[in-house]
Amino acid sequence: MESDRVKNIVIVGGGTAGWMSAAALSKLMPEHQGNVTLVESEEIGTVGVGEATIPQIATFNQRLGIHEDDFIRATQATFKLGIEFVDWAKKGDRYFHPFGTHGFDLEGIEFHHFWNKLRERGDARSIEDYSINAAAAYSDKFIRPQSEHGPIINKLGYAFHFDAILYAKFLRKFSERNGAKRIEGKVEQVNLRSDNGFIESIRLADGQVIKGDLFIDCTGFRGLLIEEALQTGYIDWSQYLPVDSAVAVPCEKRGEPIPYTRSTAREAGWQWRIPLQHRTGNGYVYCSQYQSKDEAEKTLLSNLDGKPLASPKHLRFKTGRRKKFWSKNCVAIGLSAGFMEPLESTSIHLIQSGISKLIALFPDKSMNPVERDEYNRLLNVGYAHIRDFLILHYTLTERDDSDFWNYVRTMKIPKTLQRKMALIQSRGRFFKYDDELFNITSWMAVAIGQGYTPKGYNPMVDSLSDDNIIQSLANIRMSIDKAVEAMPTQQAFIDRFCRAQDVYTTAGES
Amino acid sequence: MGNSIEAWLPAAYCCARLPSDDYQIILAETKGNTGGSDGDIVAKPSSKNLHHVLDIAEHDLGSKAHARPALAASIAIDNGLHIDLPFGHYGIDREGIEFQHLWKYSGSQKPLSEFNLALAMHKASVFLPEPPKGAPVYNYGYMLQEEGYINLLKSKARATHITADNITLQQSNGAIDKVICDGESLKADLYIDARHYNYAATNTNVTYTDGNAWQHNHLRITGGFDMLDHQSGMRLHRIQMAMERLFKLWPDREFAAVEIAEYNRLEASQSLHINDMNLLLQQQTQGCSNTLARKIKLFETRGRIAIEDYEIYSKAEWIAAFCAMGINAKNYDRLAHRINSDTLAQWIEQLQVAITNVIEQLSDKK
Ligand SMILES: Cc1cc2nc3c(=O)[nH]c(=O)nc-3n(C[C@H](O)[C@H](O)[C@H](O)COP(=O)(O)OP(=O)(O)OC[C@H]3O[C@@H](n4cnc5c(N)ncnc54)[C@H](O)[C@@H]3O)c2cc1C
């Protein structure tokens, strides 16, 4: 049934979501078999933030055949080994959420049980001391792990910080090379079919009508197609994640970029610091119920480590997700699908996940509800797991120095998270459900980092003698120290392999 | 407590993982039938991990349990028919598109099953430990002689061993206080009750979900509920999974309720998937679980396999079961069109010829 085939894919929106979708679909769909058209409006512009990622992005690049160093050079990217959380558990406190793993499992038992046994015996070392990522991050070191580097460096996990505007530009070039067509224009009307309510076409301000079989809504928070036209509905999670505003500003960089993101808790939210090759990205995500726009801007500007390079940009959002990510012949990807604060840099990953699931369940023109439901089910589950992990950061705080922290410290949390926390508390038990994104290292890093250390350990640990455990853990620490010592600094690595052109303009204008 | 694989495997597993100077393991062996498997049981490819833990080498499996490599599990269904669930892939995926879509798009006249090398070898009774380069991949399991396998497990279980005609449990507040074996009391910290392998359950409508396998200080191990579990390799697999779960949640004498609940939750989820397959094979899909209904619909629509949390069966096993039950995909993934149809048809034909050649060469050598 050739006539059933989806031939015209129309992507509305040219931010990170739009161009990631265009890149993947144009690569997948040879020109003679279909058209990928992307409509974007320079007048409206993009959200312009979203610069920290998680390691899974490497898979996206690989699938597209993008060479990592090309991508780094084009986007002024740096490497990210994890996130440092400052003042989260309480003021003056810090911990590191690393990519990669903590130590090594021994005798089939997860590493943190051994660490916890020694801790209970009075060993004051932090679990971070067993993370190659944390050690490299705090020494400003980086190396791309390769098999010949041996088991310790091979545990190093990494992602990137990049300039969001440059990333969209980079993917635009890639997509256009693969046959995607870009149309500049503002969508003014969405036309629905009278028989089944599917989107038939969009009309631009200049009168152009663009028809499609499948529409990808990448129009950002407003969800021009999925919500304004199809009225899909939104599930609000702000009772769990109450921040609803952000103010962002790039600033001049100070010294060499560090290979990690920093998240510093402030009075009514938290501030990010994302180091790039040419500048530093900063933003303050806060709850408008507890702090005004002006106060938030002041807080951000007084906590920059360089001169601002632009005027601060204010954003508003509602945490949650669409009731359906895929409705009729429209799939929402990116901010139009939902949004959770960027505390763990998950939004770009959710874009990637949406694209790969769409490809795995690629429809024909009839948009079979079975496939649509499966897509929605898989994404619902993915969003909910991430939501729970984000809530963990707040619910574990001890801070009581502001109304905001008092609210999040005492708020009700979802049952799914309660169960996970109870298991962690009970001797550090952890099971990954439904292919969920964050693994045991992430959960333990945040839980232990915020003082929610498991009570006890798997009693199986006692099958190894204390001396044996002490020796094994000392060996791990020693190997990490040695490996980090031998690594180049991140700057040296970048200079050697992937240095971007120097820019002397304001961020985004290069 | 028990005398079948359900008892001896946990005993051997505990002995392998717990240091003998700290832990004492006692096996109270009951008398009678050890499982009624007509002599043979299926071990899925994943049993290799189990045997690694138990330090059982392949040659021991061969000499002591008369192990023969298996590339599929053969399941008897009604009317003398058999279904083979393969331990290997259908064809080879290309450009991220699963083979069953490519096959359907190509319009090949050859049945899908002919593109599964594991199935083809199983049917021709030939074997190669590893697939030839460029052929569809597989991993082999075993057919084991049950009695020999039990003896092998016994040799690995350094357990104090008593035999009893009659075992009764004394409980208070849900926990077991002691076990009376022919009048003699036995006290322990953790009791594993494997007296009811339950294979003889005749009621095919039993729900296989057992949400309370672990209560207080006693854990029930039931490897198989009926003949299907037995033939599909799930009997051994269930016990293996139970042991892995138990050791991940290894308790102390407090027996934390939250950990026991997690064990039971995982067990229930696993049972649900096994049950889904069993219902499918028994053609009892009317009013079945949401997970099975979703799987069937998704497969029928376009040959896609929904993989659930803690899935037990592989995609190939599901495809085999659907095809055998007459549930066919009406369509295929349209992205298959990326591949030129002539090139695809040629490649598919070559693949089938390559598989046939492998079988012929191996058959000649027999
Ligand atoms: C404060 C903040 C910080 C963030 N930090 C991170 C982070 O560190 N890591 C991370 O992974 N994610 C982060 N995110 C999320 C990330 O920014 C987004 O997921 C990502 O940028 C994708 O955005 P988008 O493409 O969906 O939307 P946008 O960038 O808003 O793009 C929308 C597009 O739609 C077009 N458009 C809208 N209406 C019309 C119309 N009528 N006609 C034509 N075109 C139209 C616009 O012109 C634009 O091209 C952050 C988000 C916020 C709010």
Side-chain angles (χ1 to χ4, degrees), chain B residues 71-72 82-92 99-104 106 108-124 135-138 299 315-325 327-328 348 351-356 359:
Chain B
L71 289 167
H82 268 81
I83 296 177
D84 294 328
L85 299 184
F87 298 155
H89 290 196
Y90 283 88
I92 299 169
F99 181 79
Q100 73 269 21
H101 303 295
L102 301 173
W103 167 79
K104 182 129 184 136
S106 77
S108 170
Q109 296 303 305
K110 302 269 192 256
L112 184 60
S113 58
E114 291 201 10
F115 295 89
N116 190 306
L117 183 55
L119 267 185
M121 290 170 91
H122 174 78
K123 284 200 179 114
V137 294
Y138 58 75
F299 186 74
K315 283 191 178 180
E317 285 170 306
W318 280 109
I319 292 175
F322 285 133
C323 294
M325 302 322 291
I327 298 172
N328 292 310
I348 293 227
L351 187 64
Q352 203 268 331
V353 171
I355 291 174
T356 312
I359 303 297

Side-chain angles (χ1 to χ4, degrees), chain A residues 130-150:
Chain A
Y130 300 91
S131 157
I132 173 96
N133 274 58
Y138 285 139
S139 313
D140 290 346
K141 299 278 189 94
F142 179 77
I143 195 162
R144 197 178 278 136
Q146 258 145 29
S147 49
E148 67 266 22
H149 287 144

Side-chain angles (χ1 to χ4, degrees), chain A residues 2 46 95 128 149 159 165 237 275 290 350 404 412 436 449:
Chain A
E2 180 62 16
T46 66
Y95 68 93
E128 276 172 24
H149 287 144
I165 309 271
W237 282 336
Y290 299 105
L350 283 167
F404 171 76
K412 249 180 113 173
E436 68 183 290

Side-chain angles (χ1 to χ4, degrees), chain A residues 13-14 16-17 41 44-47 49-50 52 185 187 218-219 335 339 342 347-348:
Chain A
T16 303
S41 157
I44 296 175
T46 66
V47 71
V49 284
V187 177
C218 299
T219 58
L335 297 174
F339 182 63
S347 287
I348 294 171

Side-chain angles (χ1 to χ4, degrees), chain A residues 397-452:
Chain A
T397 189
E398 289 173 27
R399 286 186 64 151
D400 56 4
D401 53 300
S402 73
D403 289 346
F404 171 76
W405 290 102
N406 283 336
Y407 173 78
V408 294
R409 198 188 65 250
T410 54
M411 70 190 168
K412 249 180 113 173
I413 59 170
K415 282 214 170 66
T416 42
L417 177 58
Q418 283 174 26
R419 185 174 66 211
K420 255 200 158 105
M421 287 175 61
L423 279 163
I424 288 175
Q425 180 93 111
S426 183
R427 277 174 278 198
R429 314 293 193 178
F430 177 84
F431 290 87
K432 212 167 166 223
Y433 304 149
D434 307 295
D435 205 17
E436 68 183 290
L437 181 59
F438 289 102
N439 62 15
I440 188 162
T441 306
S442 298
W443 280 85
M444 289 302 157
V446 175
I448 294 169
Q450 298 214 172
Y452 193 71

Side-chain angles (χ1 to χ4, degrees), chain A residues 228-282:
Chain A
E228 290 180 20
L230 296 177
Q231 298 177 355
T232 307
Y234 198 78
I235 295 174
D236 183 348
W237 282 336
S238 49
Q239 76 272 32
Y240 299 129
L241 295 168
V243 300
D244 59 359
S245 308
V247 49
V249 71
C251 75
E252 279 178 351
K253 66 171 190 168
R254 274 276 160 84
E256 294 183 357
I258 53 173
Y260 57 94
T261 309
R262 182 176 295 134
S263 159
T264 308
R266 304 250 179 255
E267 187 189 335
W270 58 275
Q271 179 178 339
W272 79 75
R273 181 182 183 281
I274 297 177
L276 305 180
Q277 288 194 37
H278 62 321
R279 62 164 168 84
T280 303
N282 308 278

Side-chain angles (χ1 to χ4, degrees), chain A residues 282-421:
Chain A
N282 308 278
Y284 178 29
V285 185
Y286 63 98
C287 180
S288 63
Q289 199 186 324
Y290 299 105
Q291 200 165 37
S292 72
K293 204 171 152 185
D294 292 346
E295 282 168 350
E297 188 174 311
K298 220 160 58 198
T299 305
L300 176 66
L301 293 177
S302 58
N303 284 293
L304 299 181
D305 51 17
K307 211 171 97 199
L309 291 171
S311 41
K313 180 172 182 170
H314 286 268
L315 296 155
R316 286 296 298 249
F317 51 83
K318 191 194 272 182
T319 298
R321 64 162 176 86
R322 289 283 161 231
K323 282 189 178 151
K324 288 178 188 167
F325 303 98
W326 181 346
S327 171
K328 316 261 185 204
N329 60 339
C330 172
V331 181
I333 293 182
L335 297 174
S336 61
F339 182 63
M340 288 178 272
E341 61 190 85
L343 188 55
E344 288 284 353
S345 320
T346 42
S347 287
I348 294 171
H349 173 74
L350 283 167
I351 295 174
Q352 183 183 340
S353 162
I355 294 170
S356 70
K357 289 186 173 71
L358 173 62
I359 289 171
L361 290 163
F362 201 77
D364 58 24
K365 281 185 191 164
S366 68
M367 304 287 145
N368 194 307
V370 175
E371 289 161 342
R372 221 163 45 197
D373 291 351
E374 183 67 359
Y375 180 91
N376 288 327
R377 183 182 77 83
L378 292 170
L379 276 155
N380 284 349
V381 171
Y383 268 72
H385 283 305
I386 292 175
R387 176 201 66 189
D388 284 2
F389 185 57
L390 297 185
I391 300 170
L392 182 77
H393 298 65
Y394 287 106
T395 195
L396 291 182
T397 189
E398 289 173 27
R399 286 186 64 151
D400 56 4
D401 53 300
S402 73
D403 289 346
F404 171 76
W405 290 102
N406 283 336
Y407 173 78
V408 294
R409 198 188 65 250
T410 54
M411 70 190 168
K412 249 180 113 173
I413 59 170
K415 282 214 170 66
T416 42
L417 177 58
Q418 283 174 26
R419 185 174 66 211
K420 255 200 158 105
M421 287 175 61

